[in-house]
Amino acid sequence: MALREILHYPDPRLRTKAKPVVAVDEVIRTLVDDMFETMYAAPGIGLAATQINVHQRVIVVDVSRDQDQPLCLINPEIVSTEGSESTEEGCLSVPDVFETVNRAEAIRVRALDRNGALKEFDATGLMAVCIQHEMDHLEGKLFVDRLSELKRLRIRKKFDKLQRRAV
Ligand code: NI
């Protein structure tokens, strides 16, 4: 296993649309293992392959308090949604920014697991939020895109300033 570098906003590579995984093989399983290690080390509750510059449709999630319920979703699809809810979100690619985002309250998800088996299940609460957030990454979208223009501009300015300071 290996820790992978997490891309930070406004890195344009975060805007890449991920491609479907063709075969769940050892390469994908190694990617999944690395993603879990990187997510737990951060620490975070979700990570999309896009965030480590791998543009394949893979996400990992663990919203349990003890971080002992790893869930890996390959080629995830949202089959249906219900209701809407606003939750404060953060993102490992947008450090130190927490903003309220509106998303579906309950979702039905279809995805392959790490053995390539097709699973379908319902998610609510933090799990539903997290899966929707990570699936946005696979489309090249970030949670800041869902905020008002004013908030987005303020965040963009902050990160541009940080970047200038780092150069
Ligand atoms: Ni994120």
Side-chain angles (χ1 to χ4, degrees):
M1 293 212 290
L3 279 178
R4 308 271 193 117
E5 191 194 337
I6 297 175
L7 301 179
H8 283 172
Y9 175 80
D11 193 313
R13 291 172 291 181
L14 287 167
R15 298 307 185 177
T16 314
K17 194 172 186 301
K19 292 198 170 70
V21 170
V22 178
V24 182
D25 53 16
E26 281 314 307
V27 176
I28 292 296
R29 276 187 280 272
T30 301
L31 169 68
V32 168
D33 291 344
D34 287 356
M35 286 173 66
F36 275 120
E37 192 181 355
T38 304
M39 177 188 81
Y40 287 131
I45 59 171
L47 189 74
T50 311
Q51 292 176 275
I52 56 164
N53 202 28
V54 175
H55 302 289
Q56 301 225 51
R57 304 187 79 81
V58 180
I59 66 174
V60 296
V61 169
D62 189 343
V63 297
S64 68
R65 207 175 60 179
D66 296 326
Q67 298 238 284
D68 57 359
Q69 284 164 46
L71 177 70
C72 132
L73 303 178
I74 298 166
N75 297 343
E77 277 174 65
I78 292 178
V79 182
S80 61
T81 65
E82 219 173 280
S84 77
E85 198 173 32
S86 293
T87 315
E88 188 169 83
E89 295 186 19
C91 178
L92 293 175
S93 293
V94 194
D96 303 321
V97 173
F98 299 91
E99 294 286 351
T100 301
V101 179
N102 193 267
R103 297 190 188 271
E105 187 179 5
I107 55 175
R108 184 154 186 86
V109 184
R110 191 183 292 153
L112 300 175
D113 69 11
R114 63 172 287 132
N115 298 312
L118 188 65
K119 302 273 163 146
E120 203 172 302
F121 61 95
D122 295 307
T124 56
L126 187 55
M127 175 78 100
V129 170
C130 195
I131 291 172
Q132 290 174 84
H133 175 119
E134 300 314 328
M135 283 182 68
D136 270 1
H137 279 299
L138 302 180
E139 300 301 321
K141 285 191 201 138
L142 295 166
F143 82 110
V144 294
D145 302 341
R146 294 183 177 272
L147 305 175
S148 71
E149 178 124 28
L150 190 72
K151 274 188 182 161
R152 212 166 49 231
L153 224 69
R154 201 182 302 145
I155 293 165
R156 178 65 199 248
K157 270 188 194 155
K158 175 183 160 177
F159 279 88
D160 283 347
K161 208 186 281 175
L162 282 174
Q163 216 173 30
R164 277 199 303 273
R165 213 174 292 163
V167 167

